[in-house]
């Protein structure tokens, strides 16, 4: 939910991260999903490395994703 994403964003900000929220529409059922993301990287390898470190430190699942704009 949007409320859960905002709460997660707030919690991560308190820990010193710079999170932001994006909205995506599910291709399965047209539901709106809110994702919390951290960082912008030049390569998928940089993103994957940062995701692995974040997952280990914060004990949460992560996913590095290529976003084209």
């Amino acid at each position: 939910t949007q409320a859960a994403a905002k709460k997660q964003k707030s919690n991560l900000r308190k820990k010193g991260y710079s999170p932001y929220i994006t909205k995506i529409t599910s291709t399965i059922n047209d539901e709106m999903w809110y994702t919390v993301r951290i960082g912008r990287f030049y390569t998928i390898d940089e993103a994957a490395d940062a995701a692995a470190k974040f997952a280990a430190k914060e004990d949460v699942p992560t996913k590095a994703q290529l976003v084209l704009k």
Side-chain angles (χ1 to χ4, degrees):
T1 67
Q2 185 176 18
K6 286 181 178 181
K7 182 176 180 179
Q8 182 71 348
K9 178 183 172 185
S10 176
N11 290 339
L12 291 169
R13 187 164 296 203
K14 289 176 187 174
K15 291 182 177 187
Y17 297 102
S18 298
Y20 60 99
I21 297 173
T22 61
K23 294 189 300 185
I24 59 172
T25 303
S26 169
T27 57
I28 298 169
N29 58 12
D30 290 329
E31 286 183 356
M32 183 65 65
W33 290 27
Y34 297 88
T35 63
V36 181
R37 298 182 180 192
I38 298 173
R40 299 184 194 302
F41 304 92
Y42 290 105
T43 69
I44 192 68
D45 291 334
E46 285 181 277
D49 184 52
K53 289 177 182 174
F54 177 83
K57 181 177 179 183
E58 301 296 337
D59 194 31
V60 295
T62 62
K63 177 181 175 184
Q65 184 175 0
L66 181 62
V67 177
L68 303 174
K69 289 193 174 188

